[in-house]
Amino acid sequence: MTERDLTGRLPALLLDDVRRTEQPWQPDLDSVLAAGRRARRRRTAGRAAGALTAVAAATGAVLAGPGLLPQGQGSGTALTPAARTVGSAPAAPGAPAPSGAPAGAGTPAAVPGSQPEPLLDAVERAVREDVAPATYTVVGRDRLDGGARVDGNLADGEGAPARLFVVVTQDRPGTLLERPCEDPEFARDSCRTTDLPDGRWLSIAAGSDGGYEQIVATLSAPGGGDGVHVEVDNIAAPDWTDRARPAPGGVDQAPVVRPDTPLDAAQLEQLVLAVDAAVR
Amino acid sequence: MTEDDEADFCALAAARAPALRRTAYALCGDWHLAEDLVQQALVKAYLSWPPRERSAAAGYLRQILLRTCTDSFRRPWWRREQSTDAVPDVRGVSDDYPHDQGPLLDALRRVPPRQRACIVLRHLEDLSVEDTAALLRCSTGTVKSQTARGLDALRRELGSTPDLTPTPGGLR
């Protein structure tokens, strides 16, 4: 078949193929409206709560004063030596100012639009404790399909704060690939899967993704319904203010802010296990 | 949102949903996933409803759907986590869609996702190179090269397919 022949007939052929197996269907508009109304209410309430939290955080910072808050809390993940000194490290040249309140281990972030939510809070807490003394500034978080997504920037003192994105999946069979290294898009330049003693799998891959560096780790269980997925990049976390199209849809346009990712593969593996332990 | 706005939204969603689902199916090759993607897209549309220009509302719905679909290809190992907010799983009227995809869609399913998206947007949705580039957030040159590669791949996949004549009456 010539190219002209194929492209000329393609629209009709495609439509014909689509309709071959099509069955009558209408969207569940009641569900759409209910979900939309809930999201609108939460967005409205969240904006008010976010403003109050930001005021409280600013007030707390003034009251506490420099040097009065404990530094370097947490489990002491094997970060790079430079990362361990993040508490006193000057900001890297060109580093963007954090968009939320700087938060040490266990400190809730002032995320615009966020509300207290046990699963999300647990994820954030686990991340902060694991990466301390590096700091994690959350820029967006939500509960989708019963899971949790937390997105933010990790400042390790070695360069500009860069993106760390966490997804927790619970009771959603088929959501995660059991062995994602078999998927070329996940595997990229290098990928390895470790069989865990409890029958689950920990897969980790690294490589360039659309012009930026990324390391991803996925802890998956048989059935692919439960697990933790974490990405660390050398880009800044994308803007979550457009709630209709949250990250990672905007990742492709996020700027590269440093040459490498703030965590390496071993550190990311440890982080995935820490988040998993916190949410199970 | 006023009651009138909501009624407008429901009317447009009901009218456009079947066509949106067809497009989603052409992109993902799975009717159930296509239905999920349409539901997700409708919730996203509701959140920013009404659009500034009512006359462009149908195109706006399609744009949201296509973004939802193409975003879902980006992270296939956890793609459903990108879905929308607390929407319960909604199944179609039947759980047993026929599995005998037509030869073209079967071949298209084996074309890499970005190339597949370019083919569907350009040749099924009849979008311009510029509109396709905007939707896929890439350059027009990338759209052209991805479309050409996709068509090459599709032609290779179809190489041994004996007959691609549209079914009589299949085009309604």
Side-chain angles (χ1 to χ4, degrees):
Chain A
M1 185 183 292
T2 66
E3 181 169 340
R4 180 173 295 182
D5 193 23
L6 176 63
T7 53
R9 296 165 59 196
L10 203 48
L13 290 169
L14 274 173
L15 202 54
D16 187 49
D17 256 14
V18 167
R19 286 181 161 153
R20 185 189 297 249
T21 55
E22 185 179 22
Q23 295 192 5
W25 175 81
Q26 275 296 320
D28 184 346
L29 288 178
D30 288 341
S31 293
V32 170
L33 295 180
R37 287 172 187 149
R38 265 197 308 275
R40 281 196 171 208
R41 278 198 300 274
R42 191 162 56 242
R43 184 166 57 180
T44 306
R47 280 177 181 152
L52 286 174
T53 310
V55 170
T59 308
V62 170
L63 291 176
L68 296 181
L69 294 174
Q71 299 282 340
Q73 291 178 343
S75 60
T77 300
L79 292 173
T80 59
R84 290 183 180 283
T85 63
V86 68
S88 56
S99 56
T107 307
V111 185
S114 73
Q115 297 178 84
E117 180 22 271
L119 182 59
L120 291 167
D121 293 344
V123 172
E124 281 193 43
R125 197 163 42 245
V127 171
R128 290 207 170 86
E129 288 177 355
D130 194 72
V131 301
T135 55
Y136 185 50
T137 303
V138 174
V139 299
R141 46 182 240 168
D142 60 22
R143 292 289 312 268
L144 297 180
D145 280 354
R149 304 193 305 174
V150 176
D151 203 356
N153 287 308
L154 181 63
D156 65 352
E158 288 222 304
R163 183 175 190 238
L164 175 62
F165 178 56
V166 183
V167 179
V168 173
T169 300
Q170 293 182 326
D171 300 324
R172 292 277 160 177
T175 298
L176 295 162
L177 297 182
E178 293 180 351
R179 289 182 169 273
C181 282
E182 293 170 6
D183 182 294
E185 198 176 344
F186 180 95
R188 280 165 273 196
D189 300 342
S190 64
C191 193
R192 69 164 187 271
T193 297
T194 305
D195 294 337
L196 301 181
D198 61 4
R200 296 186 296 162
W201 302 280
L202 178 54
S203 303
I204 189 154
S208 297
D209 187 349
Y212 58 91
E213 296 298 319
Q214 183 175 72
I215 307 175
V216 294
T218 297
L219 180 63
S220 52
D226 297 276
V228 178
H229 174 86
V230 180
E231 299 179 6
V232 63
D233 308 293
N234 66 342
I235 58 174
D239 185 5
W240 273 59
T241 52
D242 178 2
R243 300 286 297 171
R245 188 163 53 81
V251 165
D252 286 356
Q253 294 165 346
V256 171
V257 293
R258 55 188 286 161
D260 57 356
T261 58
L263 298 179
D264 63 23
Q267 292 163 344
L268 201 63
E269 273 188 357
Q270 190 168 334
L271 174 60
V272 167
L273 293 170
V275 172
D276 175 65
V279 301
R280 276 166 73 85
Chain B
M1 183 186 285
T2 66
E3 284 186 10
D4 283 348
D5 286 339
E6 198 163 284
D8 278 353
F9 173 80
C10 288
L12 186 68
R16 296 292 306 154
L20 294 173
R21 186 180 63 144
R22 270 180 228 128
T23 300
Y25 175 69
L27 284 165
C28 74
D30 180 315
W31 282 113
H32 293 305
L33 179 55
E35 289 161 11
D36 283 348
L37 291 169
V38 173
Q39 291 276 141
Q40 293 165 29
L42 291 177
V43 175
K44 289 177 184 176
Y46 179 91
L47 283 174
S48 32
W49 198 264
R52 286 199 183 95
E53 292 181 38
R54 298 273 179 150
S55 59
Y60 175 66
L61 274 185
R62 184 176 67 173
Q63 184 181 53
I64 291 177
L65 173 81
L66 293 172
R67 286 231 162 110
T68 304
C69 291
T70 52
D71 284 350
S72 80
F73 299 147
R74 233 176 239 128
R75 300 287 183 268
W77 47 95
W78 56 269
R79 60 184 159 211
R80 292 200 179 177
E81 287 304 322
Q82 295 186 63
S83 61
T84 174
D85 186 34
V87 178
D89 283 340
V90 177
R91 290 265 169 172
V93 293
S94 169
D95 240 5
D96 48 4
Y97 282 101
H99 292 291
D100 57 331
Q101 274 187 332
L104 187 59
L105 278 181
D106 193 41
L108 190 61
R109 201 162 42 85
R110 295 193 291 274
V111 172
R114 297 282 282 188
Q115 296 174 15
R116 184 167 67 229
C118 286
I119 290 173
V120 170
L121 297 182
R122 295 278 290 116
H123 294 283
L124 181 64
E125 287 294 312
D126 200 25
L127 296 185
S128 66
V129 170
E130 290 75 19
D131 289 346
T132 304
L135 273 170
L136 297 177
R137 302 183 189 105
C138 62
S139 68
T140 54
T142 301
V143 169
K144 290 174 188 171
S145 63
Q146 292 279 301
T147 305
R149 283 183 203 154
L151 289 171
D152 277 348
L154 190 59
R155 200 163 43 245
R156 279 195 303 276
E157 294 289 345
L158 288 169
S160 58
T161 305
D163 183 19
L164 280 175
T165 307
T167 309
L171 303 177
R172 280 167 275 174

